[in-house]
């Protein structure tokens, strides 16, 4: 997304929220500030001096660090090894001292009350835990200017409260924080300043798009208007279950356990499951989508076919579609052209002998981009798209599959209110043709606006359920 004449000021001891619709340029502006993208013009001043950041390392050297939507880690490393990577030296020493770095990391974790399994494998961390690890890694480097890109997208209200306590602690220590978010009420609850971006342009201090957070009546009114998208509100259908889960359990190192899960999804229904990501929610999501191939007991049947532990191919061949909370890990190849990620599930259908129908693949991609409402080339690297754009594109890809079961985790993540409304309409259309949706989300408000029924997963077991008509 191109930005033009964008301006933003962040002061020590301040939390500054950056709002805007998908594709407005928020992430582009922050990636420039963090050293991931070089600007074509303009200046960046740090403590009054003009600076230029050819790389994230240059930004870090001046105390600027970014926690991206999906922090990247080396999966074979332990958590503490990933956190100290690049910070093993101490002072002016030319020697690496990982033991000393590990000790300093533990001290930071205690000081900032960040609870993480430092000796666990990075590969086993949930999305929210990886976010915490990224924050801890920046604290180890004594970062003073923090950029958080949609940090609460997959957090429960309790986890969000803990994160905001950390923000306030950082603010009290004189740190500056930029919070990119779509959640207007959330921004007003924590931010000292708010800036809104539209079409690559930031508002000036004296217009309606940039204002003191404690006088944000204009934004509150718009938030109330935008949040009035309707629930699917569809009656429960009868017939044979599309998805049947019986006595499912998993106890495996590195994964939160699930115990005695029983669930039927009927045709034409939307079922939501909420809870804590590392309290079994992610484990159940991965098990249903075929991403766990060992350690499972019990059974999962999709359209009458046993798919328990048989992999993603079996899940999709049985009529499933899936978009996970960690899209960069399970749904996307970020460093390849977007085209590769869009055709990954249909290339077998476009095959003719040893050849592929390239026209069919190109038409498929054009259809997805049109459905997502994005005018960009699929030859562009996937990582060059903003988080909101990628979420829209991947949702369009899965809805285009015409599957009988669509499994979505944190489906509203990185979406603005307009695109959340479009998501609701897609789900309504899906149920009208007799398909079902299973939604995993830590956002209870999101589920109550979409789902017919909500189940609560607590400590690995389904502890409660409710019809959305009873939720207020």
């Amino acid at each position: 997304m191109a930005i033009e004449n964008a301006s933003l000021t962040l002061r020590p001891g301040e939390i500054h929220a950056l709002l805007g619709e998908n594709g407005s340029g928020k992430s582009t502006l922050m990636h420039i500030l963090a050293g991931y993208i070089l600007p074509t013009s303009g200046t960046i001043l740090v403590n009054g001096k003009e600076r230029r950041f050819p790389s994230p390392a240059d930004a870090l050297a001046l105390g600027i660090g970014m926690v991206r939507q999906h922090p990247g880690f080396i999966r074979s490393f332990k958590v503490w090894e990933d956190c100290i990577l690049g910070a093993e030296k101490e002072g002016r020493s030319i020697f690496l001292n990982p033991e000393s770095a590990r000790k300093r990391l533990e001290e930071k974790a205690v000081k900032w009350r960040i609870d993480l399994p430092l000796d666990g494998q990075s590969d086993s961390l949930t999305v929210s835990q990886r976010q915490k690890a990224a924050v801890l890694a920046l604290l180890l480097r004594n970062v003073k200017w923090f950029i958080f890109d949609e940090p609460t997208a997959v957090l429960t209200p309790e986890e969000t409260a803990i994160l905001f306590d950390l923000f306030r602690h950082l603010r009290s220590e004189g740190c500056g924080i930029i919070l990119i978010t779509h959640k207007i009420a959330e921004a007003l609850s924590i931010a000292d300043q708010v800036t809104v971006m539209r079409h690559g342009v930031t508002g000036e201090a004296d217009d309606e798009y940039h204002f003191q957070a404690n006088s944000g009546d204009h934004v509150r009114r718009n938030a109330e208007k935008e949040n009035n998208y309707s629930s699917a509100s569809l009656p429960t259908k009868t017939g044979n279950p599309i998805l049947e889960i019986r006595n499912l359990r998993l106890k495996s190192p590195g994964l939160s356990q699930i115990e005695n899960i029983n669930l039927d999804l009927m045709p034409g229904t939307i079922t939501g499951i909420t809870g804590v990501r590392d309290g079994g929610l992610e484990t159940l999501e991965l098990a249903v989508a075929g991403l766990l191939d060992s350690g499972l007991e019990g059974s999962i049947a999709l359209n009458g076919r046993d798919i328990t532990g048989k992999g993603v191919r079996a899940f999709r061949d049985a009529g499933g579609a899936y978009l996970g909370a960690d899209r960069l890990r399970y749904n996307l190849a970020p460093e390849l052209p977007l085209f590769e990620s869009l055709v990954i599930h249909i290339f077998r259908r476009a095959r003719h002998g040893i050849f592929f129908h390239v026209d069919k693949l190109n038409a498929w991609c054009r259809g997805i981009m049109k459905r997502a409402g994005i005018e960009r080339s699929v030859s562009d690297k996937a990582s060059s798209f903003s988080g909101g754009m990628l979420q829209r594109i991947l949702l369009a890809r899965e809805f285009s599959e015409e599957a009988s079961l669509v499994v979505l985790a944190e489906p509203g993540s990185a979406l603005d209110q307009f695109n959340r409304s479009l998501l609701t309409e897609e789900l309504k259309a899906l149920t009208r043709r007799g398909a079902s949706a299973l939604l995993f989300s830590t956002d209870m408000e999101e589920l109550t606006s979409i789902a017919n029924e909500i189940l609560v997963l607590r400590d690995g077991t389904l502890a409660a359920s409710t019809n959305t008509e009873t939720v207020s």
Side-chain angles (χ1 to χ4, degrees):
M1 173 67 199
I3 59 175
E4 185 175 356
N5 294 326
S7 299
L8 185 143
T9 300
L10 177 65
R11 298 174 177 83
E14 177 181 270
I15 299 174
H16 195 131
L18 184 59
L19 297 170
E21 61 190 6
N22 292 144
S24 61
K26 304 184 302 299
S27 292
T28 300
L29 178 58
M30 293 301 102
H31 278 77
I32 290 173
L33 186 57
Y36 291 96
I37 301 174
L38 279 173
T40 53
S41 62
T43 58
I44 300 173
L45 302 179
V46 181
N47 296 323
K49 295 183 179 180
E50 184 173 345
R51 302 292 188 179
R52 187 173 176 83
F53 307 132
S55 73
D58 297 292
L60 277 172
L62 287 173
I64 301 172
M66 183 174 185
V67 179
R68 305 175 82 177
Q69 286 185 19
H70 295 275
F73 292 99
I74 299 175
R75 297 179 184 178
S76 60
F77 274 25
K78 291 184 178 179
V79 175
W80 73 269
E81 292 173 326
D82 250 322
C83 287
I84 71 167
L85 189 62
E88 298 91 343
K89 295 180 182 179
E90 189 167 10
R92 296 179 179 271
S93 173
I94 63 172
F95 299 104
L96 301 181
N97 192 339
E99 291 78 15
S100 175
R102 162 67 189 258
K103 183 178 179 181
R104 287 185 284 121
L105 187 72
E106 290 177 337
E107 290 170 352
K108 294 288 186 182
V110 171
K111 175 183 177 180
W112 297 97
R113 298 189 295 276
I114 296 177
D115 183 22
L116 282 172
L118 296 180
D119 289 311
Q121 295 296 124
S122 294
D123 189 44
S124 68
L125 294 180
T126 64
V127 176
S128 60
Q129 286 177 321
R130 283 199 293 278
Q131 186 182 86
K132 294 174 186 175
V135 173
L136 186 58
L138 293 181
L139 290 170
L140 178 67
R141 291 156 175 80
N142 297 313
V143 163
K144 290 294 183 182
W145 308 96
F146 290 83
I147 301 167
F148 288 87
D149 193 359
E150 298 279 353
T152 65
V154 297
L155 300 185
T156 64
E158 293 77 15
E159 290 172 322
T160 297
I162 293 171
L163 179 66
F164 282 5
D165 283 343
L166 174 61
F167 283 7
R168 295 184 184 98
H169 193 173
L170 289 167
R171 179 173 59 186
S172 70
E173 297 279 333
C175 296
I177 297 170
I178 296 176
L179 169 64
I180 302 175
T181 181
H182 292 297
K183 300 178 180 179
I184 299 172
E186 189 175 87
L188 295 175
S189 74
I190 187 69
D192 305 298
Q193 294 279 342
V194 178
T195 294
V196 175
M197 288 196 75
R198 286 189 175 181
H199 310 299
V201 180
T202 53
E204 297 296 332
D206 59 351
D207 70 21
E208 64 176 327
Y209 303 126
H210 182 183
F211 47 86
Q212 295 290 334
N214 59 11
S215 62
D217 293 337
H218 167 79
V219 172
R220 284 195 183 93
R221 286 195 299 272
N222 281 328
E224 290 167 1
K225 186 190 303 180
E226 289 170 342
N227 275 312
N228 282 331
Y229 55 88
S230 61
S231 166
S233 300
L234 295 170
T236 300
K237 302 293 181 66
T238 59
N240 295 322
I242 288 178
L243 178 71
E244 298 174 84
I245 300 177
R246 294 290 179 268
N247 303 317
L248 191 68
R249 67 190 300 266
L250 180 138
K251 290 185 179 180
S252 176
L255 285 170
S256 302
Q257 72 174 31
I258 53 176
E259 185 75 37
N260 197 34
I261 303 294
N262 289 279
L263 179 65
D264 284 343
L265 259 65
M266 306 305 291
T269 60
I270 302 173
T271 299
I273 301 181
T274 191
V276 180
R277 295 292 305 169
D278 51 6
L281 200 65
E282 187 164 13
T283 303
L284 182 56
E285 167 201 327
L286 299 180
V288 172
L291 289 160
L292 299 181
D293 56 6
S294 63
L296 286 172
E297 298 179 13
S299 66
I300 305 172
L302 179 54
N303 291 316
R305 297 167 63 173
D306 181 20
I307 61 169
T308 315
K310 294 183 178 179
V312 176
R313 175 74 65 82
F315 168 75
R316 289 192 174 267
D317 286 348
Y322 167 68
L323 175 56
D326 190 353
R327 57 176 174 261
L328 296 189
R329 184 175 181 182
Y330 297 115
N331 298 101
L332 197 67
E335 298 309 311
L336 293 178
L338 180 64
F339 174 88
E340 306 293 339
S341 295
L342 297 188
V343 303
I344 186 66
H345 301 305
I346 72 146
F347 73 94
R348 287 182 297 136
R349 284 174 263 165
R351 190 168 183 172
H352 183 70
I354 62 172
F355 301 103
F356 292 96
H357 289 292
V358 178
D359 289 345
K360 184 175 181 179
L361 295 177
N362 287 333
W364 172 260
C365 291
R366 286 194 299 271
I368 289 174
M369 298 300 279
K370 181 178 180 180
R371 191 168 190 162
I374 294 173
E375 296 181 3
R376 285 273 303 271
S377 171
V378 295
S379 298
D380 293 343
K381 188 184 292 187
S383 60
S384 70
F385 291 77
S386 72
M389 286 182 176
L390 287 176
Q391 188 73 357
R392 287 156 59 187
I393 291 167
L394 293 174
L395 283 167
R397 183 189 71 182
E398 298 308 314
F399 284 124
S400 296
E401 288 284 346
E402 296 291 316
S404 56
L405 173 68
V406 176
V407 178
L408 305 176
E410 310 297 343
S413 173
L415 297 183
D416 55 30
Q417 294 298 337
F418 174 74
N419 282 289
R420 285 191 174 209
S421 298
L422 294 182
L423 170 62
T424 301
E425 292 305 315
E426 288 277 19
L427 288 167
K428 285 182 179 181
L430 177 144
T431 56
R432 281 195 292 269
R433 64 176 175 82
S436 294
L438 179 60
L439 311 180
F440 293 89
S441 179
T442 54
D443 187 344
M444 190 67 171
E445 182 180 349
E446 176 177 61
L447 291 183
T448 56
S449 70
I450 298 175
N452 306 117
E453 182 183 24
I454 299 174
L455 309 174
V456 179
L457 188 68
R458 181 179 300 152
D459 298 326
T461 62
L462 291 175
S465 66
T466 182
N467 186 287
T468 52
E469 292 180 0
T470 68
V471 179
S472 59

